[in-house]
Amino acid sequence: QVKLVESGGGLVQPGGSLTLSCAASGSNFVIHSMGWYRQAPGKERELVATIGRDSLANYADSVKGRFTISENNAQNTKYLQMNSLKVEDTAVYYCNAEYYWSWSSTRLVAWGRGTQVTVSS
């Protein structure tokens, strides 16, 4: 299986910054794309940011100008730089990846188990 592990979450004051990382591990797989999602208490999981094959990033309106998604393809790792954090950003943040096995063109999806980000004074 392809395993995704998020890290970098924690408690931060409003206006602060955090950088989340997501590392994909396994063997004989290739990452096609990666993205970040979040789920706040009592809310549905929502897309935060994605980066496509054209290397253009897309962001939810609520995080535009504050969050930046990036990838290190060689390390199968993605990052989410979060600046000017707001209380409303409090959520469990999940990374996901679309991938395929080296011998297959069928895309599969993996999800991390999430990392908690709490923005509070």
Side-chain angles (χ1 to χ4, degrees), residues 48 59-64:
V48 176
Y59 300 93
D61 289 340
S62 59
V63 306
K64 285 181 179 178

Side-chain angles (χ1 to χ4, degrees), residues 53-120:
R53 283 178 280 180
D54 56 4
S55 297
L56 295 178
N58 295 296
Y59 300 93
D61 289 340
S62 59
V63 306
K64 285 181 179 178
R66 300 188 297 120
F67 290 12
T68 302
I69 186 172
S70 62
E71 294 178 296
N72 184 330
N73 291 329
Q75 299 294 321
N76 286 326
T77 303
K78 67 177 180 181
Y79 307 91
L80 184 68
Q81 175 65 49
M82 305 184 295
N83 298 318
S84 301
L85 283 162
K86 304 175 180 180
V87 173
E88 304 93 276
D89 295 318
T90 296
V92 177
Y93 284 71
Y94 301 88
C95 67
N96 88 315
E98 294 185 347
Y99 70 97
Y100 57 90
W101 301 113
S102 298
W103 57 85
S104 175
S105 61
T106 301
R107 293 183 185 178
L108 302 173
V109 179
W111 287 90
R113 285 181 284 186
T115 184
Q116 178 71 50
V117 173
T118 302
V119 184
S120 179

